[in-house]
Amino acid sequence: MVSYKELGLVNTREMFAKAVAGGYAIPAFNFNNMEQLQAIIQASAETKSPVILQVSKGARNYANQTLLRYMAEGAVEYAKELGWEHPQIVLHLDHGDSFELCKSCVDMGFSSVMIDASSKPYEENIALTKKVVEYAHQFDVTVEAELGVLAGVEDEVSAEESHYTKPEEVIDFATRTGCDSLAISIGTSHGAYKFTPEQCTRDPKTGRLVPPPLAFNVLHEIEKKLPGFPIVLHGSSSVPQEYVDIINEHGGKLPDAVGIPEEQLREASKSAVCKINIDSDSRLAMTAAIRKVFDEKPGEFDPRKYLGPARDEMKKLYMHKIVNVLGSDGKAL
Ligand SMILES: [Zn+2]
């Protein structure tokens, strides 16, 4: 058993309270490898933005939980080395699907866990979430829960249809589970193909797909029911078209990939939404940079020569999200 406090990490409680009050959102970036982690920490340190390092069940299987834990511990030290005096870094389990998985992460130094029982019937979601909360809170680890179903595919989480969160359920759910934050469904979606072409309209000028707008009415209803309660948006990559273009121009094939427009995320950040999850965008940045090197320099075989540019591109993306979309820069000096 190791406490996240020994690793220099923090939980989300104070971070979220400040974000809700200050009208900004904390970035939650997923990571699986060293270059992603370096890019996240460099971007956060340079902008002095609090940050959530997210590990999905898939990442945990891919990279090994022990290694990820030490990487997060190393990230705190690295941030200090970069001149960030008081790094505010959370290590968070994304989409925990069982009590055992959440417990294992709490015991291994995670400072925050998500229990996602949103696909289960309402009462089962409450019972499982409550069980995780009771365990995690003993160690001052914060818990994110989910109500409503997001569409899309992300690692092992997938659903064909989305169901918006029902505002009439949120008070009962938050009260009975004791969760610290709530992921809701208002039209965001996992992956790089968030919407089918049939769900979108097409911009006559560019020919690009324009996704349906987020259900801000549902968000505002939820805010009214739970004033000041931290709300989380999953599936909030924007799928930048310049990356999709670079990928497609250099041998890739991502037709009609489409995400959530950044203006809508900016607007959401100003509300009780205090954590926005971004995963696909960094995958796209990384893939675009690597494809470009492979295509333009076919003789290159030193991984640093393509992972280096990929890291730079991800850092640029993370800084852009922090400063221009979430507004979290300068909030952790
Ligand atoms: Zn998610």
Side-chain angles (χ1 to χ4, degrees):
M1 171 97 208
V2 59
S3 165
Y4 67 88
K5 293 175 187 176
E6 294 163 37
L7 311 183
L9 299 162
V10 297
N11 69 20
T12 59
R13 196 167 289 122
E14 200 187 318
M15 199 180 267
F16 283 173
K18 284 187 185 165
V20 172
Y24 59 93
I26 312 289
F29 297 130
N30 290 70
F31 82 106
N32 307 275
N33 63 44
M34 183 184 78
E35 282 78 7
Q36 273 180 319
L37 185 61
Q38 288 174 319
I40 294 169
I41 296 303
Q42 289 169 7
S44 308
E46 247 172 71
T47 57
K48 303 281 189 288
S49 167
V51 70
I52 297 171
L53 302 174
Q54 290 203 143
V55 174
S56 67
K57 191 179 164 188
R60 191 172 167 269
N61 292 338
Y62 174 82
N64 178 279
Q65 171 170 297
T66 305
L67 190 53
L68 289 169
R69 188 273 255 185
Y70 282 101
M71 285 170 81
E73 186 176 6
V76 175
E77 295 310 313
Y78 179 44
K80 289 181 192 161
E81 231 177 80
L82 292 173
W84 190 8
E85 219 177 315
H86 303 291
Q88 296 271 303
I89 301 173
V90 172
L91 179 61
H92 175 76
L93 169 68
D94 194 18
H95 291 289
D97 59 359
S98 68
F99 172 78
E100 291 70 29
L101 174 57
C102 292
K103 178 182 182 297
S104 159
C105 288
V106 170
D107 294 349
M108 282 285 285
F110 281 56
S111 58
S112 177
V113 292
M114 176 191 195
I115 174 70
D116 176 5
S118 62
S119 61
K120 297 188 185 333
Y122 182 71
E123 287 298 328
E124 278 178 47
N125 186 354
I126 289 190
L128 181 51
T129 302
K130 186 165 186 269
K131 191 176 172 191
V132 171
V133 169
E134 280 170 359
Y135 184 76
H137 280 187
Q138 291 176 57
F139 307 99
D140 207 16
V141 169
T142 40
V143 179
E144 176 183 325
E146 179 163 331
L147 198 52
V149 177
L150 267 74
V153 182
E154 181 196 38
D155 287 348
E156 281 127 68
V157 182
S158 75
E160 294 215 337
E161 261 182 86
S162 72
H163 302 281
Y164 287 163
T165 304
K166 296 186 185 120
E168 62 272 22
E169 288 179 348
V170 296
I171 297 178
D172 182 61
F173 186 85
T175 313
R176 285 170 62 199
T177 61
C179 65
D180 300 282
S181 60
L182 186 62
I184 60 165
S185 172
I186 57 164
T188 59
S189 174
H190 289 125
Y193 295 93
K194 297 188 186 299
F195 307 100
T196 62
E198 294 75 47
Q199 290 173 297
C200 303
T201 49
R202 239 177 234 282
D203 184 326
K205 274 192 205 131
T206 60
R208 295 206 192 278
L209 293 176
V210 180
L214 297 181
F216 278 100
N217 56 328
V218 175
L219 172 60
H220 294 146
E221 277 295 302
I222 292 168
E223 281 190 282
K224 257 188 255 166
K225 303 269 184 197
L226 291 174
F229 194 81
I231 301 297
V232 177
L233 288 188
H234 281 243
S236 296
S237 278
S238 299
V239 187
Q241 289 302 310
E242 61 265 37
Y243 292 145
V244 175
D245 289 346
I246 294 172
I247 290 169
N248 289 339
E249 280 160 21
H250 295 280
K253 201 175 175 190
L254 293 177
D256 287 340
V258 63
I260 311 294
E262 290 188 333
E263 311 81 69
Q264 295 192 28
L265 297 173
R266 183 76 207 101
E267 192 182 333
S269 301
K270 291 175 183 161
S271 71
V273 169
C274 63
K275 171 176 180 267
I276 292 190
N277 292 4
I278 295 165
D279 187 4
S280 296
D281 284 354
S282 97
R283 297 181 183 194
L284 291 167
M286 188 172 204
T287 303
I290 292 175
R291 272 202 179 278
K292 197 158 177 284
V293 175
F294 282 175
D295 190 19
E296 291 173 357
K297 298 177 190 159
E300 194 54 74
F301 70 101
D302 177 347
R304 292 170 298 187
K305 296 286 165 56
Y306 50 87
L307 294 177
R311 183 174 63 194
D312 294 345
E313 201 55 56
M314 286 188 285
K315 180 186 173 187
K316 223 166 79 185
L317 169 87
Y318 295 136
M319 291 186 70
H320 163 70
K321 295 287 181 185
I322 287 168
V323 175
N324 301 319
V325 184
L326 309 188
S328 59
D329 51 311
K331 308 298 185 191
L333 296 172

mmCIF file of all heavy atoms in Angstrom, residues 94-95 114 146 150 154 157 190 234-235 277, ligand 1:
data_model
loop_
_atom_site.group_PDB
_atom_site.id
_atom_site.type_symbol
_atom_site.label_atom_id
_atom_site.label_comp_id
_atom_site.label_asym_id
_atom_site.label_seq_id
_atom_site.Cartn_x
_atom_site.Cartn_y
_atom_site.Cartn_z
ATOM 1 N N ASP A 94 -9.043 6.086 -15.312
ATOM 2 C CA ASP A 94 -10.124 6.427 -16.223
ATOM 3 C C ASP A 94 -10.984 5.173 -16.448
ATOM 4 O O ASP A 94 -10.448 4.099 -16.745
ATOM 5 C CB ASP A 94 -9.476 6.888 -17.546
ATOM 6 C CG ASP A 94 -10.430 7.589 -18.477
ATOM 7 O OD1 ASP A 94 -11.490 8.031 -18.016
ATOM 8 O OD2 ASP A 94 -10.087 7.709 -19.677
ATOM 9 N N HIS A 95 -12.289 5.313 -16.293
ATOM 10 C CA HIS A 95 -13.216 4.193 -16.560
ATOM 11 C C HIS A 95 -12.893 2.900 -15.813
ATOM 12 O O HIS A 95 -12.821 1.832 -16.430
ATOM 13 C CB HIS A 95 -13.311 3.898 -18.064
ATOM 14 C CG HIS A 95 -13.998 4.969 -18.838
ATOM 15 N ND1 HIS A 95 -15.351 5.203 -18.762
ATOM 16 C CD2 HIS A 95 -13.495 5.915 -19.669
ATOM 17 C CE1 HIS A 95 -15.656 6.237 -19.534
ATOM 18 N NE2 HIS A 95 -14.550 6.694 -20.085
ATOM 19 N N MET A 114 -11.970 6.681 -11.219
ATOM 20 C CA MET A 114 -13.327 6.736 -11.745
ATOM 21 C C MET A 114 -13.919 5.347 -11.667
ATOM 22 O O MET A 114 -13.279 4.378 -12.070
ATOM 23 C CB MET A 114 -13.330 7.174 -13.209
ATOM 24 C CG MET A 114 -14.724 7.138 -13.798
ATOM 25 S SD MET A 114 -14.735 7.347 -15.573
ATOM 26 C CE MET A 114 -16.484 7.700 -15.824
ATOM 27 N N GLU A 146 -20.220 8.070 -13.049
ATOM 28 C CA GLU A 146 -20.850 8.450 -14.317
ATOM 29 C C GLU A 146 -22.328 8.095 -14.327
ATOM 30 O O GLU A 146 -22.738 7.030 -13.892
ATOM 31 C CB GLU A 146 -20.137 7.778 -15.507
ATOM 32 C CG GLU A 146 -20.774 8.136 -16.852
ATOM 33 C CD GLU A 146 -19.890 7.844 -18.062
ATOM 34 O OE1 GLU A 146 -18.645 7.891 -17.939
ATOM 35 O OE2 GLU A 146 -20.454 7.573 -19.147
ATOM 36 N N LEU A 150 -22.387 7.556 -22.846
ATOM 37 C CA LEU A 150 -21.769 8.199 -24.000
ATOM 38 C C LEU A 150 -21.643 7.192 -25.131
ATOM 39 O O LEU A 150 -21.352 6.019 -24.876
ATOM 40 C CB LEU A 150 -20.341 8.641 -23.658
ATOM 41 C CG LEU A 150 -20.126 10.065 -23.149
ATOM 42 C CD1 LEU A 150 -20.633 10.148 -21.724
ATOM 43 C CD2 LEU A 150 -18.667 10.442 -23.222
ATOM 44 N N GLU A 154 -13.662 3.727 -26.948
ATOM 45 C CA GLU A 154 -12.404 4.178 -26.373
ATOM 46 C C GLU A 154 -11.851 3.018 -25.566
ATOM 47 O O GLU A 154 -12.466 2.606 -24.588
ATOM 48 C CB GLU A 154 -12.653 5.378 -25.443
ATOM 49 C CG GLU A 154 -11.384 5.933 -24.824
ATOM 50 C CD GLU A 154 -11.685 6.840 -23.640
ATOM 51 O OE1 GLU A 154 -12.607 6.542 -22.864
ATOM 52 O OE2 GLU A 154 -10.959 7.828 -23.489
ATOM 53 N N VAL A 157 -14.095 0.663 -23.586
ATOM 54 C CA VAL A 157 -15.412 1.234 -23.313
ATOM 55 C C VAL A 157 -16.097 1.506 -24.640
ATOM 56 O O VAL A 157 -15.559 2.215 -25.482
ATOM 57 C CB VAL A 157 -15.273 2.569 -22.558
ATOM 58 C CG1 VAL A 157 -16.631 3.137 -22.223
ATOM 59 C CG2 VAL A 157 -14.437 2.367 -21.313
ATOM 60 N N HIS A 190 -16.831 9.172 -27.337
ATOM 61 C CA HIS A 190 -15.451 8.690 -27.333
ATOM 62 C C HIS A 190 -14.912 8.454 -28.752
ATOM 63 O O HIS A 190 -15.668 8.114 -29.649
ATOM 64 C CB HIS A 190 -15.353 7.380 -26.552
ATOM 65 C CG HIS A 190 -15.523 7.546 -25.073
ATOM 66 N ND1 HIS A 190 -16.456 6.866 -24.343
ATOM 67 C CD2 HIS A 190 -14.866 8.336 -24.186
ATOM 68 C CE1 HIS A 190 -16.362 7.216 -23.057
ATOM 69 N NE2 HIS A 190 -15.408 8.114 -22.930
ATOM 70 N N HIS A 234 -16.414 13.603 -20.684
ATOM 71 C CA HIS A 234 -15.576 12.622 -21.385
ATOM 72 C C HIS A 234 -15.709 12.841 -22.886
ATOM 73 O O HIS A 234 -16.532 13.629 -23.331
ATOM 74 C CB HIS A 234 -16.053 11.200 -21.043
ATOM 75 C CG HIS A 234 -15.575 10.724 -19.715
ATOM 76 N ND1 HIS A 234 -14.741 9.652 -19.578
ATOM 77 C CD2 HIS A 234 -15.806 11.204 -18.471
ATOM 78 C CE1 HIS A 234 -14.493 9.485 -18.283
ATOM 79 N NE2 HIS A 234 -15.117 10.412 -17.591
ATOM 80 N N GLY A 235 -14.887 12.128 -23.646
ATOM 81 C CA GLY A 235 -15.046 12.128 -25.100
ATOM 82 C C GLY A 235 -15.021 13.525 -25.688
ATOM 83 O O GLY A 235 -15.813 13.862 -26.559
ATOM 84 N N ASN A 277 -11.864 15.604 -20.613
ATOM 85 C CA ASN A 277 -10.974 14.503 -21.001
ATOM 86 C C ASN A 277 -10.565 14.604 -22.467
ATOM 87 O O ASN A 277 -11.419 14.734 -23.342
ATOM 88 C CB ASN A 277 -11.688 13.168 -20.810
ATOM 89 C CG ASN A 277 -11.926 12.842 -19.355
ATOM 90 O OD1 ASN A 277 -11.636 13.640 -18.468
ATOM 91 N ND2 ASN A 277 -12.452 11.658 -19.110
HETATM 92 ZN ZN ZN B 1 -14.241 8.385 -21.157
#
